[in-house]
């Protein structure tokens, strides 16, 4: 089983819609989780950190389900600028990160 | 704060040549730097971890003699792809970690796109 697995998508949604997708992880001892955003041919940029049950930042909400070992990311009122690949990142130990392959979201006008 | 730069941003080279990529932490001291490689539509794969003044730790399957890493100072790490071949064409991204911030937080450079002809 991969350390981090994501639905690759793509998720094609109209502007204003809500889109949500999950990430499953294999290490039950993981304590922190990250969602990164990566635009085409660019470096990943940190979108959100999750250290407890969840986190909310504006239109973005991350929720953690430790029992089922998944983290979700929900985007409300999606904008064209939200089109990107969203990477789920789970620390393997205190310095190494494991990246999911990413979920592609395309928001159309 | 916490800005990481990479140079060059793009390089095209002939097969058999060596390419050096620089990664710099501009406004903080990076105790640890990481080198990743990303092929199209794939995840970032950690190649190696380097701590200032010591030898890099390479991930399984990464040839240390082919991918030379030097971390000579707290603000600079270099990756040299020796005798590059077309299969080495990829997006190389470095990240840096300082003594501040939450655990595991890494700051990424903008990446270097390498094309080997």
């Amino acid at each position: 089983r991969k350390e981090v697995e994501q639905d690759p998508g793509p998720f094609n949604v109209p502007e204003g819609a809500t889109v949500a997708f999950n990430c499953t992880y294999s290490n039950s001892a993981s304590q922190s989780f990250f969602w990164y955003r990566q635009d085409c041919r660019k470096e990943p940029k940190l979108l959100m950190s999750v250290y407890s049950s969840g986190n909310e930042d504006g239109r973005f909400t991350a929720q953690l389900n430790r029992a089922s070992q998944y983290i979700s990311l929900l985007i409300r009122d999606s904008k064209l600028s939200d089109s990107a690949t969203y990477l789920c990142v789970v620390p393997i130990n205190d310095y190494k990160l494991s990246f999911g392959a990413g979920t592609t979201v395309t928001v159309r006008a | 704060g916490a800005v990481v730069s990479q140079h060059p941003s793009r390089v095209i080279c002939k097969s058999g040549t060596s390419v050096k990529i620089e990664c710099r932490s501009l406004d903080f001291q990076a105790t640890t730097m990481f080198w990743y490689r990303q092929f199209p539509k794939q995840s970032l794969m950690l190649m190696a971890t380097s701590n200032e003044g010591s030898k890099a730790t390479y991930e399984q399957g990464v040839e240390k003699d082919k991918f030379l890493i030097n971390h000579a100072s707290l603000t600079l790490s270099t990756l040299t792809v020796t005798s590059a071949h077309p299969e080495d064409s990829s997006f190389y991204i470095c990240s840096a970690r300082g003594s501040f911030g939450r655990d595991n937080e890494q700051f990424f450079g903008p990446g270097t796109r390498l094309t080997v002809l």
Side-chain angles (χ1 to χ4, degrees), chain A residues 14 19 24 32-33 36 60:
Chain A
V19 59
T24 58
S32 57
F33 308 87
Y36 278 77
F60 296 84

Side-chain angles (χ1 to χ4, degrees), chain B residues 1-82:
Chain B
V3 179
V4 176
S5 71
Q6 268 184 255
H7 178 80
S9 58
R10 172 172 288 187
V11 59
I12 301 173
C13 69
K14 292 182 178 179
S15 187
T17 59
S18 293
V19 175
K20 179 185 280 189
I21 303 170
E22 291 187 350
C23 176
R24 293 181 185 273
S25 55
L26 299 184
D27 52 2
F28 69 101
Q29 292 188 325
T31 51
T32 308
M33 285 186 168
F34 305 85
W35 287 97
Y36 294 85
R37 180 167 51 179
Q38 186 178 32
F39 292 106
K41 298 190 184 297
Q42 293 187 27
S43 173
L44 272 75
M45 297 300 296
L46 180 65
M47 298 175 66
T49 303
S50 73
N51 293 294
E52 184 263 341
S54 62
K55 288 184 179 180
T57 302
Y58 290 80
E59 295 300 298
Q60 193 172 12
V62 179
E63 298 174 58
K64 61 180 180 181
D65 295 327
K66 181 170 180 63
F67 299 99
L68 302 178
I69 292 172
N70 184 283
H71 192 162
S73 77
L74 283 171
T75 59
L76 173 65
S77 176
T78 60
L79 167 68
T80 301
V81 183
T82 62

